[in-house]
Amino acid sequence: MSEIAFDSNETKNILMSANAFHTLKNNLFNNIGSHKTKGFLFRFGKEFGMESAKNLLQNKNSINPVGKRHSRLGHVKDVIFMGEIVRHPDGTIECIDTWGQWVESFEAALHLKNYGLANECVCHMLCGFASGALTYEFGESIIAVEYKCVAKGDPCCEFKVRLERDWLKEKEDLINLYQNDNILSELEMTYDSLLRHKQMLEKISIFQGQLTKKVTDKHSLDEIVQAAYELLNIPILIEDIHGNSLSQIGLSEEQQLIITKDKAKLSHFVDKHNVSHYKGANYWKLTAPALINKKSYATCSFFYFDEKHMDENDHLFLERISTVVALCILYEEAQFEEQQRMRSSLLERLIHSRNIKDIESYYKFLPFKFQPPFSTGIISVKKKKKNHEIIDIHDQLTELSKLAKEWDLPCIFAVLGEEIALLNSLNSDKQGWQKKITKIFQKMEKQNRNYNYSVGLSGTFSNFKDFERSLQEARVAQRFPNQKLLTDYEDLGMLGDIVKNMSNEQLHEMAKKTLKDLYNFNDPRKKELLHTLYVYLLNSQRLKETMDELTLSIGGIQYRIKQIEEQLQISLKNASTAAYTLLVIQALILSDSLNFEEFAR
């Protein structure tokens, strides 16, 4: 079956290949849906059936009955028709047990070839052709309905024929679909649908163009979000990956309170559009990520407090907003990174003592006043739990820099090995600065839950010639094992000066004399006794606190203390001796000569 012929008039035929018919059907299915395609194909066949019957009845020499035209036109191999259609003397028409079979229907064969088994009858064009031909011949609406079909696994394609009015009780929905409108209006409806789609695409294109222009004109994120709200009139919220609001518009205080208290839950995710639908008790939310290099940097959300206000095309606008927000973030990131590189280079020059004389000429490029008194800091980042994750110090520095900008801290940062160095200016209000930096690191810990931060802060200085000394002070303060987030070198008093001013050789010589046999840090047993001594002295020689920290019995602690006193040849009850011993141990820790990490719980 390569070609199907459709009569147009007595002298002309329209030829259509089976593949062309499949293409027509497939395109109809994609554009107007499977349900409407059935009606379209029925009416398509009906028009040709009526034209074929008209030509046949006008040709008085024709010997082909109407039903046989199916096979002559290539629709089927043969038609078996049973029963009869009678015209009574009063002009009424009656279908008496009329049914038939199509042998080798081209529609059924095409469906099996291209789609496999169907779950319903598929010969809609053949039904239409038979209905059109019979309707023209008898002058009353007659409908052929298929109820067996080879395409759905039946042994043959079988149909029944009745007057339209006789079908209505049994097949009202199908008859309404078949008789509802004509081909032209169906095509007009399809055209209208395509036109609406085209207009929607144009609207979206204009929308994205307007927002993108805002980015290229260097408008702020708030201005871009406001422009989107003015065009759509839908409340919008932009949040970073930690859930912090970057920009929002259109939400009243009452609505913001509802959103805060009533956390929406994921309803469903549309992978095709990368859009998530959320439902709260009193509102709906549509969310899309702002992606840069496939990594989410923020989320963009529409809010609806009446589901009726949600349009099926809103996700298309949300996707455009998320793209524009990503562009805005990308621009801000590039600008921020450029500024950060310049600031880091200033600090790196100080750290490596390069061109310090010229450094003041770069102050004008900083977005804040940069003048003495200064102080230096060392920031250590450690993981709480060991895993395969690598700490990205550069990412940590970027996060820290953004928070410092947010809190209006006049600081510059630079990576220093596996740590971060900071240089703070205008340090006259040291207490106020320490409160701010503490809150910043509390937020850092909240955003990075597996990380611990410790900050050591130097004393103040006014001349960059003292920078190296301040860096040493900051490092000493950062190493001080007091379990605090922030340690000020000036709070260390004499201990800080000892570590800073005493050479490594002098410090170890002093430690040998004081700790005697316990100075052997490579001996696990002796190091364990030294750790016990350290904890005991830190707890002001209180047995209960020492017992709790070391999870030992009082007897166990007392036995160890006795061993320690024997090895050190001292009595820890002597306050000055105990204080001096603690000072030596802490000096070793601050100089990075000793640590008790293996005993940490």
Side-chain angles (χ1 to χ4, degrees), residues 63 114 123 146 191 266 281 302 394 431 455 457 461 595:
I63 58 172
N114 293 287
C123 302
E146 188 180 27
Y191 172 78
L266 181 65
F302 285 164
H394 288 276
Q431 193 174 7
V455 186
L457 193 66
F461 63 97
N595 70 72

Side-chain angles (χ1 to χ4, degrees), residues 173-240:
D173 290 342
L174 181 64
I175 301 305
N176 287 339
L177 173 65
Y178 280 172
Q179 299 294 64
N180 182 23
D181 215 338
N182 54 42
I183 293 174
L184 181 60
S185 63
E186 191 70 72
L187 289 172
E188 286 175 349
M189 184 179 69
T190 303
Y191 172 78
D192 288 342
S193 176
L194 292 172
L195 181 62
R196 285 194 300 273
H197 185 64
K198 178 176 178 288
Q199 289 170 341
M200 177 58 68
L201 289 177
E202 287 175 351
K203 184 178 177 183
I204 292 168
S205 178
I206 293 168
F207 175 78
Q208 183 165 9
Q210 289 175 330
L211 295 190
T212 305
K213 191 174 186 304
K214 293 281 184 185
V215 177
T216 57
D217 289 345
K218 298 184 179 179
H219 285 254
S220 69
L221 182 60
D222 284 339
E223 289 172 317
I224 291 168
V225 171
Q226 183 177 354
Y229 178 70
E230 288 171 358
L231 292 166
L232 300 173
N233 198 31
I234 301 172
I236 304 170
L237 173 64
I238 314 296
E239 296 173 297
D240 67 14

Side-chain angles (χ1 to χ4, degrees), residues 358-374:
D358 301 331
I359 204 166
E360 291 184 10
S361 62
Y362 289 89
Y363 288 180
K364 60 186 176 184
F365 297 112
L366 295 171
F368 47 77
K369 284 185 178 180
F370 196 73
Q371 59 191 51
F374 302 109

